[in-house]
Amino acid sequence: MSLLQKLVLASGSPRRIELLQQAGIEPDRVLPADVDETPLRAEHPRSLAKRLSKEKAEKAFASLKTEADYAPGFVLAADTVVAVGRRILPKAETLDDAANCLGLLSGRSHRVYSGICLITPGGKLRQRLVETRVRFKRLPREEIDAYVASGEWRGKAGGYAVQGLAGAFVVKLVGSYTNIVGLPLYETVALLSGEGFKVHGGWLAGARP
């Protein structure tokens, strides 16, 4: 792979790394970009997802440019937001966060938004926003308590991880499943491919003669 084909993932999320690997894409570098994720006053959930993914990509891109051995590459960032109506749910960090989120999601529909931002080696910025609608079954208190005790919710937007135990809560899903996990693969691969990144290079490298 040439220098211009290097990929930097501006996220330390194990889920996003695994999803890229699932698509046959191995980041050359993982460079988490920490930004203030506090929503602005009256900010819509979809606007928050787009803004944060852009800020993360730009911060990682700027950080790379200060390195002596910096070589241009693609910088990919993403941010996922869970919302009920316009109400943005937190990334659960405490037991109360998780329990409150699950109580709010119980028996209701919610939306998961992911903003994806790609900065090309030439500095061109491209963005996508992906929305998935999810409906949870009604969750009795004992089920909420059991899920909170599992610890799977920690650090997850909306207080749950759909790829784990909470997959059993989903009554209906409309849209991208991988979006809920943390990185919508179809849109991400299309974005990379559209800017000239050889997304199938890893597939060919693993092919047998």
Short mmCIF file of all heavy atoms in Angstrom, two decimals, residues 36-79:
data_model
loop_
_atom_site.label_atom_id
_atom_site.label_comp_id
_atom_site.label_asym_id
_atom_site.label_seq_id
_atom_site.Cartn_x
_atom_site.Cartn_y
_atom_site.Cartn_z
N ASP A 36 -14.95 17.60 23.24
CA ASP A 36 -16.07 17.82 24.15
C ASP A 36 -17.36 17.40 23.45
O ASP A 36 -17.72 17.99 22.43
CB ASP A 36 -16.12 19.30 24.54
CG ASP A 36 -17.23 19.61 25.56
OD1 ASP A 36 -17.99 18.68 25.92
OD2 ASP A 36 -17.34 20.78 25.98
N GLU A 37 -18.02 16.39 23.99
CA GLU A 37 -19.20 15.85 23.33
C GLU A 37 -20.50 16.43 23.87
O GLU A 37 -21.59 15.93 23.56
CB GLU A 37 -19.20 14.32 23.44
CG GLU A 37 -17.98 13.69 22.77
CD GLU A 37 -18.07 12.17 22.67
OE1 GLU A 37 -19.09 11.60 23.11
OE2 GLU A 37 -17.11 11.57 22.16
N THR A 38 -20.41 17.49 24.64
CA THR A 38 -21.61 18.13 25.18
C THR A 38 -22.43 18.75 24.05
O THR A 38 -21.90 19.54 23.26
CB THR A 38 -21.24 19.24 26.18
OG1 THR A 38 -20.39 18.69 27.19
CG2 THR A 38 -22.48 19.82 26.82
N PRO A 39 -23.71 18.41 23.95
CA PRO A 39 -24.55 19.02 22.89
C PRO A 39 -24.67 20.52 23.09
O PRO A 39 -24.68 21.02 24.22
CB PRO A 39 -25.90 18.33 23.08
CG PRO A 39 -25.61 17.08 23.85
CD PRO A 39 -24.46 17.41 24.73
N LEU A 40 -24.75 21.25 21.98
CA LEU A 40 -25.00 22.68 22.05
C LEU A 40 -26.46 22.92 22.42
O LEU A 40 -27.30 22.01 22.30
CB LEU A 40 -24.69 23.32 20.70
CG LEU A 40 -23.25 23.15 20.19
CD1 LEU A 40 -23.11 23.77 18.81
CD2 LEU A 40 -22.24 23.75 21.16
N ARG A 41 -26.78 24.10 22.85
CA ARG A 41 -28.16 24.42 23.23
C ARG A 41 -29.10 24.20 22.04
O ARG A 41 -28.86 24.70 20.94
CB ARG A 41 -28.24 25.87 23.69
CG ARG A 41 -29.61 26.29 24.18
CD ARG A 41 -29.57 27.70 24.72
NE ARG A 41 -30.89 28.15 25.14
CZ ARG A 41 -31.45 27.87 26.31
NH1 ARG A 41 -30.79 27.15 27.19
NH2 ARG A 41 -32.65 28.32 26.63
N ALA A 42 -30.14 23.38 22.25
CA ALA A 42 -31.16 23.07 21.24
C ALA A 42 -30.59 22.35 20.02
O ALA A 42 -31.23 22.33 18.96
CB ALA A 42 -31.89 24.34 20.80
N GLU A 43 -29.42 21.73 20.14
CA GLU A 43 -28.83 21.04 19.00
C GLU A 43 -29.59 19.75 18.69
O GLU A 43 -29.89 18.96 19.59
CB GLU A 43 -27.36 20.72 19.29
CG GLU A 43 -26.60 20.16 18.11
CD GLU A 43 -25.09 20.08 18.35
OE1 GLU A 43 -24.68 19.96 19.53
OE2 GLU A 43 -24.33 20.15 17.37
N HIS A 44 -29.89 19.53 17.43
CA HIS A 44 -30.60 18.32 17.02
C HIS A 44 -29.63 17.14 17.07
O HIS A 44 -28.44 17.30 16.79
CB HIS A 44 -31.15 18.48 15.60
CG HIS A 44 -32.12 17.42 15.21
ND1 HIS A 44 -31.73 16.17 14.80
CD2 HIS A 44 -33.48 17.41 15.18
CE1 HIS A 44 -32.80 15.44 14.53
NE2 HIS A 44 -33.88 16.17 14.76
N PRO A 45 -30.12 15.95 17.43
CA PRO A 45 -29.24 14.78 17.51
C PRO A 45 -28.43 14.53 16.23
O PRO A 45 -27.25 14.18 16.29
CB PRO A 45 -30.21 13.62 17.78
CG PRO A 45 -31.38 14.26 18.46
CD PRO A 45 -31.50 15.63 17.87
N ARG A 46 -29.07 14.70 15.05
CA ARG A 46 -28.35 14.44 13.80
C ARG A 46 -27.24 15.48 13.60
O ARG A 46 -26.17 15.16 13.08
CB ARG A 46 -29.30 14.42 12.61
CG ARG A 46 -30.03 15.71 12.36
CD ARG A 46 -30.80 15.71 11.03
NE ARG A 46 -31.74 14.62 10.93
CZ ARG A 46 -31.74 13.71 9.96
NH1 ARG A 46 -30.83 13.79 9.00
NH2 ARG A 46 -32.64 12.76 9.91
N SER A 47 -27.49 16.71 14.01
CA SER A 47 -26.48 17.77 13.89
C SER A 47 -25.31 17.49 14.83
O SER A 47 -24.15 17.73 14.47
CB SER A 47 -27.09 19.13 14.23
OG SER A 47 -28.14 19.44 13.34
N LEU A 48 -25.60 16.97 16.01
CA LEU A 48 -24.55 16.62 16.97
C LEU A 48 -23.64 15.53 16.41
O LEU A 48 -22.41 15.63 16.50
CB LEU A 48 -25.17 16.16 18.29
CG LEU A 48 -24.19 15.68 19.37
CD1 LEU A 48 -23.28 16.82 19.82
CD2 LEU A 48 -24.95 15.09 20.56
N ALA A 49 -24.23 14.49 15.84
CA ALA A 49 -23.44 13.38 15.29
C ALA A 49 -22.52 13.88 14.17
O ALA A 49 -21.34 13.51 14.10
CB ALA A 49 -24.36 12.28 14.77
N LYS A 50 -23.04 14.74 13.30
CA LYS A 50 -22.22 15.28 12.21
C LYS A 50 -21.11 16.18 12.74
O LYS A 50 -19.96 16.11 12.30
CB LYS A 50 -23.09 16.06 11.23
CG LYS A 50 -23.97 15.20 10.34
CD LYS A 50 -24.66 16.03 9.27
CE LYS A 50 -23.69 16.54 8.24
NZ LYS A 50 -24.36 17.26 7.13
N ARG A 51 -21.46 17.04 13.69
CA ARG A 51 -20.47 17.99 14.22
C ARG A 51 -19.33 17.27 14.93
O ARG A 51 -18.14 17.58 14.71
CB ARG A 51 -21.15 18.96 15.19
CG ARG A 51 -20.17 19.94 15.84
CD ARG A 51 -20.89 20.99 16.66
NE ARG A 51 -21.60 20.46 17.81
CZ ARG A 51 -21.01 20.20 18.99
NH1 ARG A 51 -19.71 20.39 19.15
NH2 ARG A 51 -21.74 19.76 20.01
N LEU A 52 -19.68 16.29 15.77
CA LEU A 52 -18.64 15.61 16.54
C LEU A 52 -17.72 14.77 15.65
O LEU A 52 -16.50 14.72 15.86
CB LEU A 52 -19.27 14.74 17.63
CG LEU A 52 -19.96 15.51 18.76
CD1 LEU A 52 -20.52 14.53 19.79
CD2 LEU A 52 -19.02 16.50 19.42
N SER A 53 -18.29 14.11 14.63
CA SER A 53 -17.44 13.32 13.73
C SER A 53 -16.48 14.23 12.97
O SER A 53 -15.30 13.91 12.76
CB SER A 53 -18.28 12.50 12.76
OG SER A 53 -19.03 13.32 11.89
N LYS A 54 -16.96 15.42 12.58
CA LYS A 54 -16.11 16.38 11.88
C LYS A 54 -15.00 16.90 12.79
O LYS A 54 -13.84 16.99 12.40
CB LYS A 54 -16.97 17.54 11.37
CG LYS A 54 -16.21 18.62 10.60
CD LYS A 54 -17.21 19.63 10.02
CE LYS A 54 -16.52 20.72 9.21
NZ LYS A 54 -15.89 21.72 10.09
N GLU A 55 -15.36 17.23 14.04
CA GLU A 55 -14.36 17.74 14.98
C GLU A 55 -13.29 16.69 15.27
O GLU A 55 -12.10 17.01 15.38
CB GLU A 55 -15.04 18.18 16.28
CG GLU A 55 -15.86 19.46 16.14
CD GLU A 55 -16.49 19.91 17.44
OE1 GLU A 55 -16.27 19.23 18.47
OE2 GLU A 55 -17.20 20.93 17.44
N LYS A 56 -13.70 15.43 15.39
CA LYS A 56 -12.73 14.36 15.66
C LYS A 56 -11.78 14.17 14.49
O LYS A 56 -10.57 14.01 14.68
CB LYS A 56 -13.47 13.05 15.96
CG LYS A 56 -14.21 13.04 17.29
CD LYS A 56 -14.99 11.76 17.47
CE LYS A 56 -15.75 11.75 18.80
NZ LYS A 56 -16.53 10.51 19.00
N ALA A 57 -12.33 14.18 13.28
CA ALA A 57 -11.48 14.00 12.09
C ALA A 57 -10.50 15.17 11.95
O ALA A 57 -9.31 14.97 11.68
CB ALA A 57 -12.36 13.89 10.84
N GLU A 58 -11.00 16.38 12.15
CA GLU A 58 -10.14 17.56 12.01
C GLU A 58 -9.05 17.60 13.09
O GLU A 58 -7.91 17.98 12.80
CB GLU A 58 -10.99 18.83 12.08
CG GLU A 58 -11.88 19.03 10.85
CD GLU A 58 -12.77 20.24 10.94
OE1 GLU A 58 -13.11 20.64 12.08
OE2 GLU A 58 -13.13 20.78 9.89
N LYS A 59 -9.39 17.17 14.31
CA LYS A 59 -8.39 17.16 15.37
C LYS A 59 -7.29 16.15 15.09
O LYS A 59 -6.11 16.44 15.28
CB LYS A 59 -9.07 16.85 16.71
CG LYS A 59 -8.12 16.95 17.90
CD LYS A 59 -8.86 16.85 19.22
CE LYS A 59 -7.91 17.02 20.39
NZ LYS A 59 -8.62 16.96 21.69
N ALA A 60 -7.67 14.96 14.62
CA ALA A 60 -6.67 13.94 14.29
C ALA A 60 -5.82 14.39 13.11
O ALA A 60 -4.59 14.20 13.11
CB ALA A 60 -7.37 12.62 13.97
N PHE A 61 -6.44 14.98 12.11
CA PHE A 61 -5.72 15.45 10.92
C PHE A 61 -4.70 16.52 11.32
O PHE A 61 -3.55 16.50 10.87
CB PHE A 61 -6.72 16.02 9.91
CG PHE A 61 -6.13 16.34 8.57
CD1 PHE A 61 -5.78 15.33 7.68
CD2 PHE A 61 -5.92 17.65 8.19
CE1 PHE A 61 -5.24 15.63 6.44
CE2 PHE A 61 -5.38 17.97 6.95
CZ PHE A 61 -5.03 16.94 6.07
N ALA A 62 -5.11 17.45 12.18
CA ALA A 62 -4.20 18.51 12.62
C ALA A 62 -3.06 17.94 13.45
O ALA A 62 -1.91 18.38 13.34
CB ALA A 62 -4.98 19.54 13.44
N SER A 63 -3.37 16.94 14.28
CA SER A 63 -2.34 16.31 15.11
C SER A 63 -1.29 15.62 14.25
O SER A 63 -0.09 15.70 14.53
CB SER A 63 -3.00 15.31 16.06
OG SER A 63 -2.03 14.61 16.80
N LEU A 64 -1.72 14.96 13.20
CA LEU A 64 -0.79 14.26 12.31
C LEU A 64 0.16 15.24 11.62
O LEU A 64 1.34 14.95 11.43
CB LEU A 64 -1.57 13.47 11.26
CG LEU A 64 -2.27 12.20 11.73
CD1 LEU A 64 -3.23 11.70 10.66
CD2 LEU A 64 -1.25 11.12 12.07
N LYS A 65 -0.34 16.40 11.26
CA LYS A 65 0.46 17.37 10.53
C LYS A 65 1.60 17.94 11.37
O LYS A 65 2.56 18.49 10.81
CB LYS A 65 -0.43 18.51 10.02
CG LYS A 65 -1.38 18.08 8.91
CD LYS A 65 -2.30 19.20 8.48
CE LYS A 65 -1.57 20.28 7.74
NZ LYS A 65 -2.50 21.30 7.19
N THR A 66 1.53 17.79 12.69
CA THR A 66 2.60 18.30 13.55
C THR A 66 3.72 17.29 13.74
O THR A 66 4.75 17.61 14.33
CB THR A 66 2.04 18.68 14.94
OG1 THR A 66 1.57 17.48 15.60
CG2 THR A 66 0.90 19.67 14.83
N GLU A 67 3.54 16.07 13.23
CA GLU A 67 4.54 15.03 13.41
C GLU A 67 5.62 15.15 12.34
O GLU A 67 5.33 15.35 11.16
CB GLU A 67 3.89 13.65 13.36
CG GLU A 67 2.87 13.44 14.47
CD GLU A 67 2.25 12.05 14.43
OE1 GLU A 67 2.65 11.24 13.57
OE2 GLU A 67 1.36 11.79 15.27
N ALA A 68 6.86 14.97 12.76
CA ALA A 68 8.00 15.13 11.85
C ALA A 68 7.96 14.12 10.71
O ALA A 68 8.34 14.43 9.58
CB ALA A 68 9.31 14.99 12.63
N ASP A 69 7.50 12.91 11.00
CA ASP A 69 7.46 11.87 9.97
C ASP A 69 6.08 11.75 9.33
O ASP A 69 5.73 10.71 8.77
CB ASP A 69 7.89 10.52 10.54
CG ASP A 69 6.98 10.07 11.68
OD1 ASP A 69 6.17 10.92 12.16
OD2 ASP A 69 7.08 8.91 12.10
N TYR A 70 5.31 12.82 9.42
CA TYR A 70 3.95 12.80 8.87
C TYR A 70 3.95 12.54 7.37
O TYR A 70 4.71 13.13 6.61
CB TYR A 70 3.25 14.13 9.16
CG TYR A 70 1.96 14.31 8.38
CD1 TYR A 70 0.80 13.64 8.75
CD2 TYR A 70 1.92 15.15 7.27
CE1 TYR A 70 -0.37 13.80 8.03
CE2 TYR A 70 0.74 15.32 6.55
CZ TYR A 70 -0.39 14.65 6.94
OH TYR A 70 -1.55 14.81 6.23
N ALA A 71 3.10 11.62 6.97
CA ALA A 71 2.88 11.36 5.54
C ALA A 71 1.37 11.42 5.31
O ALA A 71 0.59 10.94 6.14
CB ALA A 71 3.42 9.99 5.16
N PRO A 72 0.93 12.03 4.20
CA PRO A 72 -0.50 12.17 3.99
C PRO A 72 -1.22 10.82 3.94
O PRO A 72 -0.69 9.84 3.42
CB PRO A 72 -0.60 12.88 2.64
CG PRO A 72 0.77 13.12 2.17
CD PRO A 72 1.74 12.52 3.12
N GLY A 73 -2.38 10.79 4.50
CA GLY A 73 -3.20 9.58 4.48
C GLY A 73 -4.66 9.96 4.66
O GLY A 73 -5.00 11.14 4.81
N PHE A 74 -5.53 8.98 4.65
CA PHE A 74 -6.96 9.20 4.89
C PHE A 74 -7.21 9.18 6.40
O PHE A 74 -6.70 8.31 7.10
CB PHE A 74 -7.79 8.11 4.23
CG PHE A 74 -7.76 8.12 2.73
CD1 PHE A 74 -6.74 7.50 2.03
CD2 PHE A 74 -8.77 8.76 2.01
CE1 PHE A 74 -6.71 7.50 0.64
CE2 PHE A 74 -8.75 8.76 0.62
CZ PHE A 74 -7.72 8.14 -0.06
N VAL A 75 -8.02 10.12 6.88
CA VAL A 75 -8.40 10.15 8.29
C VAL A 75 -9.91 9.92 8.37
O VAL A 75 -10.69 10.66 7.76
CB VAL A 75 -8.03 11.49 8.95
CG1 VAL A 75 -8.55 11.53 10.39
CG2 VAL A 75 -6.52 11.70 8.92
N LEU A 76 -10.30 8.90 9.12
CA LEU A 76 -11.71 8.53 9.25
C LEU A 76 -12.15 8.68 10.70
O LEU A 76 -11.47 8.21 11.62
CB LEU A 76 -11.91 7.08 8.81
CG LEU A 76 -13.33 6.49 8.95
CD1 LEU A 76 -14.28 7.16 7.97
CD2 LEU A 76 -13.30 4.98 8.74
N ALA A 77 -13.29 9.35 10.90
CA ALA A 77 -13.85 9.52 12.24
C ALA A 77 -15.35 9.26 12.19
O ALA A 77 -15.99 9.39 11.14
CB ALA A 77 -13.57 10.93 12.77
N ALA A 78 -15.90 8.92 13.36
CA ALA A 78 -17.34 8.67 13.44
C ALA A 78 -17.83 9.01 14.84
O ALA A 78 -17.06 8.98 15.80
CB ALA A 78 -17.66 7.21 13.11
N ASP A 79 -19.10 9.33 14.93
CA ASP A 79 -19.72 9.54 16.23
C ASP A 79 -21.17 9.05 16.16
O ASP A 79 -21.86 9.28 15.16
CB ASP A 79 -19.70 11.01 16.63
CG ASP A 79 -20.12 11.19 18.08
OD1 ASP A 79 -19.27 10.99 18.97
OD2 ASP A 79 -21.31 11.48 18.34
#
